[in-house]
Amino acid sequence: MQPVPLLIRDLSFRYPSGQLALNGVSVTIAAGESVAVIGPNGAGKSTLLLHLNGLLRGSGRIQVGDTELRRETLGAVRRQVGLVFQDPDDQLFLPTCLDDVAFGPLNEGATWEAAVQRSMQALAAVGMTEHANTPPHQLSIGQRKRVALATVLSMMPSLIAFDEPSAGLDPWARRQLIGIIRHLPQTRVVATHDLALALETCRRTILMDAGTIVADGPTAEILTDTDLLLSHRMEPPGYRPPAAS
């Protein structure tokens, strides 16, 4: 696995209802870079992530490494891009954690022995080896989120996209996940409302609103621009609104 750059040019997408979810989004992310994507509900963050491995297809250009996303390259792109959903139960559906993590490698044709080896390495990377034979439904949400990440890591992707990784986590589980995200070698795209997490895991932040990119720069600068964030229905970490008169 080697981290790869991501290129998006003039990406637009409209849902069947007619709602314009992405409107001419263009961005370049370097190999190994960790980038936060923030914005209010409905900004287009999750829709953007779903385009990275072809789960949604809009107009425009997406290139992962040297591979441009097309119908004929869909499989190759999906082998490079791992998507970690907000709800881990969307990714965990088999009797044990090991079964879930090994599912991808087995589906790609790996032997059981090779799939187990890759799966145990992935579980070790997220601190969950002791739960390899545990049914996922017996785990806490924080543990399930780490196993869901392991299902992605077992596929050895070059780019990982996270959709609201800290949603629903208590402070301890959130702190564990932040540590894992910070030390991953892959290119990372982290869509989040958790601005403190963005500050700890990503040097660069993209602010989206109404399907467009409205700001792109160093995370520390974006997250201290109170007027910018408030104008797009976001609050900087530690913000206290003026007292009512």
Side-chain angles (χ1 to χ4, degrees):
M1 181 282 302
Q2 290 292 330
V4 293
L6 172 67
L7 175 72
I8 300 172
R9 287 292 178 269
D10 200 26
L11 180 63
S12 295
F13 178 79
R14 192 180 296 274
Y15 282 103
S17 65
Q19 176 191 356
L20 183 62
L22 297 174
N23 186 12
V25 171
S26 294
V27 65
T28 300
I29 295 175
E33 193 174 11
S34 185
V35 178
V37 181
I38 66 171
N41 287 337
K45 303 185 300 296
S46 296
T47 303
L48 177 63
L49 295 192
L50 291 173
H51 276 77
L52 300 186
N53 64 359
L55 290 178
L56 292 177
R57 298 293 301 275
S59 63
R61 178 186 174 201
I62 297 175
Q63 183 170 318
V64 180
D66 295 328
T67 307
E68 186 167 345
L69 179 59
R70 301 189 183 96
R71 186 187 303 272
E72 61 270 22
T73 63
L74 187 58
V77 169
R78 286 180 174 172
R79 284 190 290 273
Q80 292 191 82
V81 178
L83 180 58
V84 183
F85 293 99
Q86 177 176 341
D87 185 349
D89 295 337
D90 289 338
Q91 294 179 253
L92 305 176
F93 51 87
L94 292 174
T96 70
C97 294
L98 178 59
D99 291 328
D100 270 316
V101 180
F103 178 82
L106 288 171
N107 198 48
E108 277 199 332
T111 65
W112 173 248
E113 291 77 13
V116 168
Q117 182 179 21
R118 284 166 56 176
S119 299
M120 294 306 293
Q121 290 171 344
L123 287 166
V126 299
M128 291 297 291
T129 51
E130 66 186 80
H131 295 288
N133 295 312
T134 303
H137 70 268
Q138 294 182 7
L139 302 175
S140 69
I141 185 171
Q143 291 171 322
R144 295 201 305 278
K145 286 204 176 205
R146 284 189 277 154
V147 174
L149 174 55
T151 68
V152 170
L153 294 178
S154 71
M155 298 297 290
M156 298 184 290
S158 299
L159 184 153
I160 302 177
F162 294 87
D163 192 7
E164 299 292 351
S166 65
L169 298 185
D170 62 34
W172 177 251
R174 175 180 172 277
R175 175 56 48 199
Q176 289 178 307
L177 190 60
I178 285 174
I180 293 168
I181 293 173
R182 287 180 63 183
H183 292 98
L184 290 172
Q186 288 91 348
T187 307
R188 284 144 289 159
V189 182
V190 185
T192 183
H193 284 105
D194 185 343
L195 302 191
L197 177 144
L199 186 61
E200 290 196 56
T201 60
C202 304
R203 292 185 178 181
R204 175 182 169 196
T205 289
I206 293 168
L207 172 60
M208 294 186 66
D209 199 357
T212 65
I213 293 176
V214 296
D216 181 350
T219 300
E221 293 182 12
I222 297 287
L223 298 193
T224 53
D225 191 333
T226 300
D227 290 341
L228 172 69
L229 293 176
L230 290 178
S231 69
H232 294 283
R233 295 172 287 154
M234 304 287 290
E235 292 186 354
Y239 174 74
R240 294 292 182 269
S245 57

